[in-house]
């Protein structure tokens, strides 16, 4: 009853208004409705534009990670090429049969020259160096860089490669400070003896590999994290140890999220990298 009386009084008040005030009243009301509709339309258009922009960025970043996977595959293919090289096999077999210093020096020159030619032929910005370790000699395309690993670390890489019996082994323990290492044992195959001839090591500079991806060049700054299948960190450019796992899914398609941490807003993407269960963020 009370609300009905208010409604009647309001109608009576509007009817009694002068015509000038009625025109102003309805004009202001119309302008207010137009303003509200405009704000809503701008918000809708902005939201749709942001979604389109984020989808575009997501696609480009997924493409960049496909490029990284291809680069890692290229390194594996390079290792196949080196261990199946007939000239290198013959030189390594001759090295094992050499007993004099002159003979060993000649074999060293042959092997080192062959590695250098492979490095130059397949030279990429992300390949830091190629090394080959045998019981009697070790050859490097970049001795200074290879010497950053201690003798104990090198021995661990060699032993892990020998355990794999010719299969490719990724050593990730030194990725942040030294580089991502691919190691594999070279075995004699021409008479099917499969005896060990040495261990091949290819070191990848991950930061240079990221910088070589054209997609990443479009952004003033970006952070990249690589983890193994058990979520152990392999490489990270984050200054702070942010935990993105609870915000991001493990979707192989790389679903993006907008994340706010410590008053900072991140456009974050997570997905699969390479074929051995690694994840990127």
């Amino acid at each position: 009853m009370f609300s009905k009386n208010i409604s009647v009084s309001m109608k009576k008040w509007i009817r009694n208004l002068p015509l000038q005030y009625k025109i102003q009243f309805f004009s202001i009301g119309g302008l207010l409705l137009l303003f509200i509709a405009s704000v809503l339309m701008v918000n809708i258009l902005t939201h749709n534009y942001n979604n389109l922009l984020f989808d575009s960025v997501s696609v480009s970043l997924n493409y960049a990670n496909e490029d990284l996977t291809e680069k890692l595959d290229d390194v594996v293919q390079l290792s196949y090429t080196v261990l199946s090289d007939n000239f290198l096999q013959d030189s390594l077999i001759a090295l094992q049969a050499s007993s004099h210093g002159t003979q060993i020096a000649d074999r060293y020159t042959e092997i080192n020259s062959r590695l250098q030619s492979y490095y130059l032929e397949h030279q990429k910005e992300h390949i830091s160096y190629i090394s080959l370790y045998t019981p009697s000699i070790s050859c490097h395309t970049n001795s200074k860089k290879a010497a950053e690993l201690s003798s104990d670390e090198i021995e661990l890489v060699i032993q892990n490669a020998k355990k794999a019996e010719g299969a490719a082994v990724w050593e990730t323990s030194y990725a942040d400070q030294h580089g991502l290492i691919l190691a594999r044992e070279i075995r004699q195959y021409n008479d099917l003896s499969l005896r060990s001839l040495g261990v091949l090591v290819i070191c990848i500079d991950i930061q240079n590999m990221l910088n070589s991806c054209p997609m990443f060049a479009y952004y003033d700054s970006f952070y990249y994290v690589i983890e193994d299948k058990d979520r152990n960190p392999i490489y990270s450019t984050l200054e702070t140890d942010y935990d993105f796992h609870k915000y991001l899914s493990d979707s192989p398609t790389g679903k993006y999220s907008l994340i706010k941490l410590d008053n900072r807003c991140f456009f974050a993407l997570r997905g699969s990298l390479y074929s051995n269960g690694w994840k990127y963020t």
Side-chain angles (χ1 to χ4, degrees):
M1 185 68 180
F2 179 72
S3 60
K4 185 177 180 180
N5 290 335
I6 292 178
S7 177
V8 172
S9 300
M10 181 64 69
K11 290 178 181 178
K12 185 178 179 180
W13 178 76
I14 294 174
R15 282 198 300 267
N16 293 332
L17 281 175
L19 180 60
Q20 179 182 357
Y21 290 158
K22 288 181 180 179
I23 294 174
Q24 292 177 351
F25 178 79
F26 286 112
S27 297
I28 293 172
L31 290 174
L32 183 61
L33 289 175
L34 182 61
F35 173 77
I36 293 173
S38 299
V39 170
L40 290 175
M41 184 60 68
V42 169
N43 286 335
I44 292 172
L45 291 175
T46 302
H47 178 74
N48 290 337
Y49 172 78
N50 287 339
N51 285 341
L52 183 62
L53 177 63
F54 293 152
D55 287 340
S56 176
V57 173
S58 176
V59 169
S60 68
L61 290 178
N62 276 316
Y63 176 80
N65 287 291
E66 290 176 5
D67 187 37
L68 292 180
T69 294
E70 185 176 336
K71 290 181 187 328
L72 294 173
D73 281 331
D74 288 344
V75 174
V76 175
Q77 290 302 317
L78 173 59
S79 70
Y80 274 119
T81 303
V82 174
L83 65 86
S84 61
D85 185 306
N86 289 325
F87 178 83
L88 197 57
Q89 285 263 328
D90 292 341
S91 296
L92 289 170
I93 292 170
L95 175 64
Q96 289 193 345
S98 300
S99 56
H100 301 294
T102 304
Q103 294 175 328
I104 294 174
D106 289 342
R107 299 294 82 76
Y108 171 86
T109 301
E110 291 175 356
I111 295 168
N112 191 63
S113 176
R114 198 66 166 178
L115 289 182
Q116 293 289 350
S117 66
Y118 273 117
Y119 178 73
L120 293 175
E121 181 182 351
H122 298 271
Q123 191 172 25
K124 307 285 185 183
E125 290 182 0
H126 55 278
I127 296 181
S128 181
Y129 64 86
I130 302 175
S131 295
L132 200 157
Y133 296 92
T134 74
S136 54
I137 64 169
S138 60
C139 301
H140 315 280
T141 60
N142 187 334
S143 300
K144 183 178 179 180
K145 183 67 177 177
E148 292 179 3
L149 289 180
S150 67
S151 58
D152 290 339
E153 290 170 334
I154 293 171
E155 183 61 28
L156 181 61
V157 170
I158 292 173
Q159 292 305 317
N160 288 338
K162 288 183 176 181
K163 289 177 184 177
E165 299 180 339
V169 176
W170 289 102
E171 292 289 345
T172 61
S173 303
Y174 321 110
D176 260 333
Q177 301 299 324
H178 181 72
L180 181 62
I181 291 176
L182 172 71
R184 68 188 314 162
E185 184 182 28
I186 299 179
R187 312 184 101 190
Q188 183 177 340
Y189 66 84
N190 56 1
D191 61 356
L192 299 180
S193 70
L194 298 181
R195 65 171 174 165
S196 178
L197 298 177
V199 171
L200 175 71
V201 168
I202 302 176
C203 182
I204 301 172
D205 188 318
I206 299 181
Q207 189 59 55
N208 283 343
M209 183 172 67
L210 294 175
N211 293 338
S212 69
C213 290
M215 293 298 117
F216 291 135
Y218 294 119
Y219 309 107
D220 293 332
S221 63
F222 69 91
Y223 304 98
Y224 201 88
V225 179
I226 302 176
E227 298 168 319
D228 64 19
K229 60 183 179 181
D230 298 318
R231 288 185 172 176
N232 297 314
I234 295 175
Y235 181 81
S236 175
T237 61
L238 282 171
E239 307 103 332
T240 308
D241 189 19
Y242 291 120
D243 182 12
F244 289 108
H245 294 134
K246 58 184 177 182
Y247 302 102
L248 295 167
S249 68
D250 287 333
S251 170
T253 57
K255 178 63 178 176
Y256 69 83
S257 295
L258 297 177
I259 303 170
K260 287 188 177 181
L261 292 172
D262 294 345
N263 296 321
R264 303 175 71 184
C265 186
F266 295 92
F267 177 91
L269 192 73
R270 181 172 172 81
S272 298
L273 176 69
Y274 200 54
S275 58
N276 52 1
W278 292 354
K279 299 289 184 181
Y280 71 85
T281 303

